[in-house]
């Protein structure tokens, strides 16, 4: 799954396991993944918050604008980028 926009919010709902790449220059990102998804997360925002309701095992440092870790031991790659906007992973 790949979604990209220069300006505007992005909402993605994934129903099958696969790599995910979401990028927006300006706008928020809402990403809904299957309840049993196992993935490796790399989320970055220039200005905004990052939140997730998934059970995340953090790798490295936790920062306001950058979050990396694994969910359920890792698996598919999930990369989310926004220049200005919040990231919400469900």
């Amino acid at each position: 799954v790949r979604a990209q926009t220069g300006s505007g919010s992005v909402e993605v709902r994934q129903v099958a396991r696969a790599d995910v790449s979401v990028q927006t220059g300006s706008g928020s990102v809402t990403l809904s993944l299957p309840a049993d998804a196992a993935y490796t997360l790399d989320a970055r925002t220039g200005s905004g918050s990052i939140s997730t309701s998934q059970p995340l095992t953090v790798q490295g440092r936790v920062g306001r604008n950058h979050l990396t870790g694994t969910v359920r031991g890792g698996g598919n790659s999930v990369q989310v980028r926004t220049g200005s906007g919040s990231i919400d992973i469900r």
Side-chain angles (χ1 to χ4, degrees):
V1 176
R2 183 176 180 164
Q4 184 174 353
T5 182
S7 177
S9 297
V10 176
E11 184 173 336
V12 174
R13 171 177 258 161
Q14 183 185 33
V15 295
R17 292 182 182 168
D19 291 342
V20 177
S21 175
V22 180
Q23 183 174 350
T24 179
S26 174
S28 62
V29 175
T30 302
L31 178 60
S32 300
L33 299 169
D36 62 346
Y39 56 91
T40 301
L41 174 67
D42 184 359
R44 296 174 190 252
T45 178
S47 61
S49 61
I50 302 171
S51 64
T52 180
S53 60
Q54 300 289 331
L56 183 71
T57 301
V58 175
Q59 297 171 339
R61 292 177 19 169
V62 175
R64 172 177 156 72
N65 302 77
H66 185 207
L67 181 63
T68 58
T70 59
V71 173
R72 294 179 191 82
N76 292 96
S77 171
V78 174
Q79 295 185 343
V80 183
R81 305 279 188 273
T82 179
S84 63
S86 296
I87 299 171
D88 182 22
I89 300 169
R90 305 173 183 176

